[in-house]
Each structure stands twice: as C-alpha cells, then as structure tokens.
Amino acid sequence: MLEELEHGYPLLEELNDFAHDLLWTWEPRIEAAFRVLDPERWEATRQNPVLLLSQLGEEGVAKAMERTDARAALDDARAAYRQYYDRNPAFMNAKAPMVIGYFSLEFGLAECLPIYSGGLGVLAGDHLKATSDLGLPLVAVGLLYKQGFGRQEIDEGGRQVEVYSEHRGIDLPIRKVEGVEVEAPIGDRKVKIAVWRAQVGRVPLFLLDTDVEANPPDLRAITDRLYVPEPDRRLRQEIVLGIGGVRALHALGMVAGVYHLNEGHSFLCAIERIRELRASRRMTLEEARLVARAGIVFTTHTPIAAGSDYFEPGLVWDLLGPYLKEVGISFDRFMDLGRQRPGDPRERLCTTYAALRLADQAVGVSRLHGTVSKRLWKDAWRGLPEVQVPIGSVTNGVHMPTWMAPEIRDLLRRYVGPDWWDLDGTDGRWEAVFEIPAAELWSMHMDLKRRLLEVARKRSEHTADLDASALTIGFGRRFAPYKRANLLLQDSPRLTKMLRSAKHPVQFLFAGKAHPADQPGKDIAADVVAFARLQPRVVFLKDYDIELAGHLVRGTDVWLNNPRRFLEASGTSGMKAGANGVLNVSILDGWWDEGYRPELGWAIPSGATLDRPEVDDQAEAENLYRLLERDVVPAYFERDENGIPQRWVEMMRASIRHIATEFSARRMVIDYFNTAYAPGARRVEQLRLLPDWGG
Ligand SMILES: *Cc1c(COP(=O)(O)O)cnc(C)c1O
C-alpha cells in the first residue's frame, strides 16, 4: 500500500497511462517497465501492455513491484517519459500555422494494435512517430477494425491459411472518446460512428468505429476487417474514413487547414471539404473546389493502375447519390473526377484519378516512382507533356528509433551524441559512425544475429538447421507476385550448392504473407515453404508482422529485395535493414534506385527487355546468383586474424551513416513540411477562407 501511494497516484493507473501512450513502442526504457512485470505474460499477450495490466490487476502489479528490478525499470520509464516531453523539438509550434489532418486506411504502430496489413500502414505509423518527435501539429484519422488483418498459419500441405480473431477496444492501447458521435451517409441511410483515440507521443490518432448498437447489422459490419475485397464494402469504408473523418475532426473541435491523403482511399475527404465550404460560405461549386484543393496533399503508393480502387457507376449512385445532391455536384461530374477519359459513362471511378484531380500537391514515394507515376496518371492532365505532369516525389523513410536495435541506438548515442535521432544528415557529427571500432560493431551484430536465430527456430514452420557463422540472408515482405520471393529458387541445384558449402555456408530466412485474395501470391508462398521443408538451411518463418520484421532487419547479414523493376514503389524494409548495418542486395528499384552506392551495398543488374517478364526473370536470377557467388559471399568471409570482416564492417558503417539519415521518417516528414504542408498552409491562408483557425 505504501508503495502504491508513493507518488500520490496508484501505480496501476500510472502504468496504464504509459500503456496508452504509444511512445513505449519507440522508447525501450518504457517498454521494459511492462516486460519486467511478467516476461512470459508479456509475450503471451503479444506484447500488449493494456492486456498485461488488466490480467495482472492491482494485486499482481503490487506483487511485481516488490522486486527491485521492477521498481528500477519503472523509475527508468518515468525518466524516459519526462525526457521525451521536456524537450522542445525543432518544429514545436514554431513553423506550422495550422493543423494537418492525416488520413489513412491503415496504421502500423505496434503488433498489439491490429489496424494494419503491411508496408503502407507501417509507413503511416512511422510518419506519426516522426511527427511527434518533431513537434508538428498533426492529427491522424483511421478506422478501428474489429478483426485484424488475419494471422498466417501454414497447413500440412504447405499452404497459407488466414486465422481471424476478434478484438475488444478495451483490450487495446486506445481509449473511447465519450460524447462524440458522428454520422456519414450510406445511400439514403446514415451510419453512426464512434470515435476512439490512440496517442502516438504528441500526435492523436482518431479511429472510427461503426460497431455501434444503434446501427443495423450491415452498417455495424463496415469496420469489421481491413481490405475487404468486395467493392461495395470497400466504398462504405472509404465513406466512413473520408466523410466521417472530416466530420469527426470537427466534432472534436479540430479544424485542419491541410489534409494529407495517404493513398486514394480517403479521396472523399476532399468532397466533404467542398460540401462544408459550400454550406458554411455559400460558395459556388467551383470556388469551393479551388479553396478545398489548396490544402490537399495526396501521396500515391501504387506503381500500377490496377493497384487503385475502382467503383462501378451503379454502386457509386447507390451509396453516394443522395450525398452528392447535398454537395451540389452532378453525378456525372463526380464520376468524371475519377475517370481516365471523362465523359465515358461506362468507365468506373478510379480513386487515384479522383485524388489527383482534387489535390493541389501530388507525390510518389521515391524519385523513380515519381517518374513512373507521371507516365501512369498523365491523363489526369490531358494535353500536358509527360515531363510537365505535376506529380513530384517525397521519398519514404522509416522511424529510426523504432526500427534500430537498442544496441545500435546506444552506439549512436555514444559516438554521434545523445540527440543523434534529431540531427540532420548533413551534420558533421554523423561522421563519428566511422570511428566505431570494428570489433565492437561486429560483436554487437553477432549478438543481434544469434537473437534472431533463436526467434527463427521458434517461429519456423519446420525443422531448421541454423548456424550463426553462416552468411544469413533475409527476405521479408508481402508475397505479391511482382516481389518474386521464388526468384532464388529458379536454379535449385545452384542454390543448394551455396547452402551446402562447408567453407562459405549461406542460409536464407523467408517471411511474408500473401493477400488473402491473391492466389498467385499464395502459390509462391507454397513454393518457398515446399523448398524450405526439404532444405534445413532455408527457413520459412510464419506470420510476418512488425515484431518479426524487427528481428529480421536487425539480425540478418544481408537484406535481399528482387522485385520486377518499376513495380516496387519504395520498399521500406531495406531502409530498416540498412540503418542497422544489414547490407542491401537489391534490384535498382524504389528507394534503392536513389540510395544505392557501391560502398554500402549491392545492385542486382536488371534484365533488359522490361516487357517479357519470363526472360527478365531468368536473366535476373542468373545475375543474382553470380552477384552472391562472386561478390557478396567472398566479401563476407574475408576475415582478419581476429575473425573480423574488416571490409564488410566498413560497409556496415557506411550503410548506417547514410541510410539512418537519408531514409529516416524524420527526413521524410521535414520534406513533406517544406514541399507540401507549409506551401499548402500558405495558400489556404492567402485565401483567408477557413473558419477561425488559431484566431
Ligand atoms: C517495413 C514493413 C513492410 C514493408 O516492407 P517492404 O520492403 O515495403 O515490402 C511490410 N510489413 C511489415 C511488417 C513491415 O515492418
């Protein structure tokens, strides 16, 4: 009891407050305070502090606190928390005149918050974390799904099966916002939306939930699951996110000036802004469209037209007809916003065309993807030459404090400085990375690798024979066919020779899920599993998620990425690996096309035809084997008298130095601020038409 009242505040409540600020996902000192309470339960709850605390209860927590290690961990957590919020970050209140609203259908923040499926969501999560670090005024909006994306199991035949489980909001690190209920139109009905709040450091994330008793069953089910394949259910979700999201911000008293649409899913946010402006300012449709547009920033993530959502005119009419009347836009005009050829009544509405025509700023997610996007979507600006198509790029980045191993963070703290994560890449202090002694960096890397191999033995779907001294190559990403997880299996005798080498042994760790509706992707997963079951030096780790990704990008030696060129818009896992000193071997696609330098990794030469995939697959597989055999494997096994690969370690240093700065989410958010948010805010301000923001 004495302990409990030490701070005049019950311990359980204090820990619950820590649990509800996702700062613990990138501040290991706070996470440690949960883990130490009951390490087994921590893993059993999938590292969910809210569930852990509710299972332990007041008594369990008090009992754990009798141990000195738990008390020390709590003191450490308190110090970390205070340090984070006492700092005045670079952008705090200073440079941004108005709030930015960030809309996304998924956010990957922690394994225990199942509202993401993969790269797009993790990117959005990293965006919020870096924004919090920088102190930019941003609020985010997404959906709360009752069921996660589905865990991956592998059946006896080696095929992927998805297992869904249900979550209750009260078990997640989020809190319900009481007294706020919003409505959005579904045809001539209205769906009621409850709002939950997740706290991502300084940044609030509002999650919309239609599982409200007052809704009929079909409307309650809208937010059941992420990425439903049926267009009807998908459009309902996009109505809730876009229209409901803008209304939720209003109901919460948060008027955003700039709206950032992460993918086209939230394009209806722009239409709702038009409706609002017309209603409150009596504007004509054209006036409202121009004013709304000034503040809209759109990021496209897909490098192929089929990656976008498409909706049939009949479906749009059924779900949005009455709403469009209220907005005062004709149905044809609305459909034309999303058509490649406006005026063609049979054409469906494509969310990417619609978002491009509604936004003032549009960007792709790497330099190369910006160029690809110009070609792909040029018809949104009929008559403009391709080079003038106004789609730019902001290259993605990853949140370094989240993705770097605590051990690497510690090295950077000691060599670069305690505020390493807040330094620009041009800061001379970064050069101290090259002073980290090889023996220190190498032994730390080997520790991380051994930890990964332990996890791999547990998560492996079959018996694995893993050896910490073998060159360990990782491949972890969604099993979409263009990512070619099976490229390496093209010549299995040649691969087997590499695996069985006594002198220079190599092993591979594969992980990844196929989208539940992606049959070819599932076939590729089955190929890899079948091969792995025969070959103990190739391991398939099931259920790729944020936690497993963390182990892989920290503990492998090499990170492999071999997509068909021009189809990987960015590919952020390679950035996570590179920042941990894991060397990239990749096709020059996405971020690697601009990140590659010979001193920090390798480029797999591309095939030449670009339009005969089978021929290019063959050539690129050959190029990959040759690169591994001639360059990568020999470099790894070139050791000095102490067994340290000096040349390799020098590449690790260069990789950390450049990738941790140039491909950080910090750099990405600052780029967004300079090229899109600030100019957007200025334009909106010039129009002076927003209802009283900031007085
Ligand atoms: C980083 C990440 C991704 C994205 O990786 P790509 O390289 O873009 O394929 C997907 N899933 C998880 C869990 C991640 O952490």
Side-chain angles (χ1 to χ4, degrees):
M1 259 339 261
L2 258 182
E3 208 69 67
E4 289 262 314
L5 295 171
E6 191 181 356
H7 293 265
Y9 190 47
L11 272 179
L12 184 60
E13 242 171 89
E14 184 182 2
L15 283 164
N16 247 314
D17 284 348
F18 282 139
H20 283 85
D21 183 337
L22 292 163
L23 176 60
W24 65 261
T25 63
W26 73 100
E27 184 38 88
R29 287 183 293 167
I30 302 180
E31 186 193 318
F34 302 127
R35 183 188 304 272
V36 71
L37 292 174
D38 187 338
E40 266 170 44
R41 216 185 272 271
W42 174 249
E43 293 308 329
T45 60
R46 299 195 71 101
Q47 315 191 343
N48 179 340
V50 173
L51 212 51
L52 173 82
L53 292 171
S54 90
Q55 288 179 8
L56 287 176
E58 212 144 335
E59 225 170 287
V61 169
K63 191 142 192 311
M65 282 298 162
E66 287 168 11
R67 302 195 323 262
T68 44
D69 61 339
R71 282 203 301 274
L74 179 60
D75 279 338
D76 240 18
R78 287 175 179 144
Y81 189 85
R82 264 197 313 273
Q83 271 168 24
Y84 188 79
Y85 287 106
D86 282 352
R87 236 182 124 269
N88 234 335
F91 280 71
M92 201 72 193
N93 304 328
K95 298 184 186 166
M98 57 179 74
V99 172
I100 301 136
Y102 183 95
F103 285 61
S104 179
L105 211 47
E106 51 168 320
F107 289 90
L109 289 153
E111 204 33 62
C112 65
L113 189 54
I115 53 170
Y116 81 99
S117 92
L120 178 71
V122 174
L123 177 84
D126 280 7
H127 194 105
L128 304 192
K129 292 174 181 179
T131 299
S132 168
D133 294 344
L134 288 163
L136 267 182
L138 181 144
V139 297
V141 181
L143 301 187
L144 178 64
Y145 304 98
K146 197 157 68 183
Q147 303 176 342
F149 185 59
R151 314 220 68 90
Q152 179 192 49
E153 291 289 341
I154 304 293
D155 69 13
E156 268 175 44
R159 302 201 61 88
Q160 165 183 321
V161 268
E162 301 91 35
V163 183
Y164 292 92
S165 54
E166 294 220 342
H167 309 276
R168 300 182 305 167
I170 52 163
D171 293 334
L172 304 176
I174 57 176
R175 284 187 167 130
K176 188 142 186 194
V177 182
E178 298 298 341
V180 171
E181 214 177 73
V182 191
E183 288 185 343
I186 303 286
D188 47 21
R189 295 185 294 167
K190 300 237 180 303
V191 59
K192 290 197 169 23
I193 302 166
V195 182
W196 298 74
R197 177 178 180 137
Q199 197 62 38
V200 188
R202 295 185 172 83
V203 174
L205 162 60
F206 294 104
L207 297 170
L208 312 179
D209 172 13
T210 65
D211 188 20
V212 172
E213 267 185 38
N215 286 327
D218 70 315
L219 300 188
R220 277 185 87 152
I222 291 178
T223 53
D224 263 1
R225 210 180 261 193
L226 173 57
Y227 292 146
V228 287
E230 306 86 349
D232 170 73
R233 294 177 66 192
R234 189 73 83 98
L235 184 53
R236 289 171 185 231
Q237 291 191 338
E238 297 186 7
I239 290 173
V240 170
L241 178 65
I243 301 173
V246 173
R247 292 180 181 179
L249 289 185
H250 274 262
L252 292 156
M254 300 193 173
V255 182
V258 173
Y259 290 79
H260 186 167
L261 317 182
N262 188 43
E263 249 316 340
H265 308 127
S266 45
F267 79 105
L268 285 167
C269 158
I271 303 294
E272 175 63 7
R273 290 279 298 128
I274 292 173
R275 189 197 65 79
E276 266 182 348
L277 286 163
R278 296 207 65 187
S280 67
R281 303 262 168 180
R282 301 173 171 274
M283 288 185 189
T284 65
L285 178 62
E286 202 48 31
E287 285 165 351
R289 193 180 69 82
L290 287 173
V291 174
R293 180 193 154 96
I296 290 176
V297 178
F298 167 50
T299 304
T300 172
H301 291 261
T302 174
I304 46 166
S308 197
D309 282 338
Y310 291 85
F311 298 118
E312 295 289 346
L315 175 66
V316 176
W317 177 260
D318 286 346
L319 293 186
L320 282 167
Y323 172 73
L324 295 174
K325 268 205 200 83
E326 203 187 317
V327 178
I329 182 171
S330 77
F331 180 71
D332 292 336
R333 178 97 199 267
F334 177 75
M335 287 299 297
D336 278 352
L337 282 171
R339 283 174 172 145
Q340 184 176 11
R341 292 170 306 277
D344 177 351
R346 283 158 313 175
E347 205 186 313
R348 293 174 302 172
L349 178 138
C350 162
T351 50
T352 303
Y353 277 117
L356 287 169
R357 291 198 177 100
L358 289 161
D360 198 49
Q361 302 271 333
V363 297
V365 290
S366 66
R367 253 185 338 229
L368 185 61
H369 178 240
T371 312
V372 168
S373 300
K374 279 178 195 271
R375 181 167 326 149
L376 198 55
W377 306 109
K378 59 182 186 305
D379 287 348
W381 295 268
R382 284 255 148 146
L384 261 198
E386 192 177 305
V387 290
Q388 286 177 27
V389 168
I391 302 180
S393 68
V394 172
T395 301
N396 282 345
V398 301
H399 186 246
M400 292 302 164
T402 296
W403 292 105
M404 271 187 178
E407 290 82 351
I408 303 246
R409 294 175 55 162
D410 195 50
L411 281 181
L412 294 182
R413 190 179 57 73
R414 279 162 41 219
Y415 285 87
V416 179
D419 54 348
W420 61 270
W421 52 273
D422 200 25
L423 298 182
D424 284 334
T426 50
D427 196 299
R429 279 174 280 177
W430 277 106
E431 295 310 310
V433 170
F434 292 102
E435 287 158 26
I436 302 174
E440 194 173 355
L441 188 53
W442 186 247
S443 87
M444 192 215 61
H445 172 70
M446 288 302 290
D447 285 345
L448 291 169
K449 184 167 163 181
R450 279 187 285 267
R451 202 177 312 155
L452 164 67
L453 297 186
E454 262 168 53
V455 171
R457 284 183 197 106
K458 272 191 230 143
R459 278 237 202 172
S460 168
E461 156 322 294
H462 48 87
T463 4
D465 171 22
L466 294 166
D467 171 5
S469 65
L471 168 62
T472 303
I473 302 181
F475 183 102
R477 51 185 55 84
R478 201 156 48 78
F479 274 38
Y482 80 86
K483 299 209 185 214
R484 298 188 296 191
N486 53 353
L487 189 72
L488 201 70
L489 312 183
Q490 285 243 345
D491 184 346
S492 57
R494 193 162 174 186
L495 173 61
T496 307
K497 205 166 138 209
M498 245 189 281
L499 301 168
R500 298 230 172 111
S501 161
K503 207 161 128 234
H504 293 162
V506 179
Q507 61 197 6
F508 288 88
L509 302 179
F510 282 94
K513 297 174 189 167
H515 186 283
D518 176 7
Q519 205 46 56
K522 287 182 165 178
D523 293 344
I524 292 174
D527 280 354
V528 174
V529 170
F531 188 83
R533 284 181 176 178
L534 297 173
Q535 180 43 268
R537 282 288 164 89
V538 175
V539 174
F540 185 86
L541 306 174
K542 64 182 177 190
D543 205 21
Y544 184 59
D545 61 11
I546 288 180
E547 200 215 336
L548 182 57
H551 285 290
L552 284 167
V553 299
R554 290 165 185 172
T556 45
D557 298 306
V558 161
W559 195 249
L560 175 65
N561 192 19
N562 46 236
R564 291 212 172 100
R565 189 153 190 255
F566 303 118
L567 292 183
E568 185 75 279
S570 167
T572 50
S573 59
M575 304 173 186
K576 300 168 191 167
N580 280 295
V582 172
L583 305 185
N584 279 276
V585 169
S586 170
I587 296 276
L588 287 175
D589 200 9
W591 80 283
W592 194 235
D593 187 62
E594 66 199 84
Y596 166 71
R597 301 180 203 181
E599 64 269 28
L600 45 90
W602 289 272
I604 306 166
S606 295
T609 72
L610 297 178
D611 57 359
R612 279 179 299 158
E614 306 73 33
V615 177
D616 287 342
D617 287 357
Q618 195 87 44
E620 287 167 16
E622 168 68 27
N623 293 344
L624 172 58
Y625 292 124
R626 195 179 312 151
L627 184 67
L628 292 176
E629 291 160 354
R630 290 195 191 167
D631 296 325
V632 183
V633 175
Y636 185 77
F637 289 102
E638 182 191 311
R639 303 297 169 102
D640 70 6
E641 62 283 5
N642 299 314
I644 295 172
Q646 291 287 349
R647 206 156 58 91
W648 189 278
V649 172
E650 184 61 10
M651 289 179 79
M652 290 175 68
R653 294 189 188 106
S655 178
I656 296 171
R657 158 72 183 89
H658 292 289
I659 295 173
T661 52
E662 287 156 36
F663 298 96
S664 69
R666 178 186 186 278
R667 190 273 310 142
M668 168 180 72
V669 171
I670 292 176
D671 280 356
Y672 270 112
F673 179 79
N674 288 329
T675 65
Y677 298 160
R682 268 197 302 277
R683 268 190 302 277
V684 172
E685 210 166 0
Q686 278 160 5
L687 293 166
R688 284 182 200 288
L689 287 161
L690 262 188
D692 38 329
W693 80 84

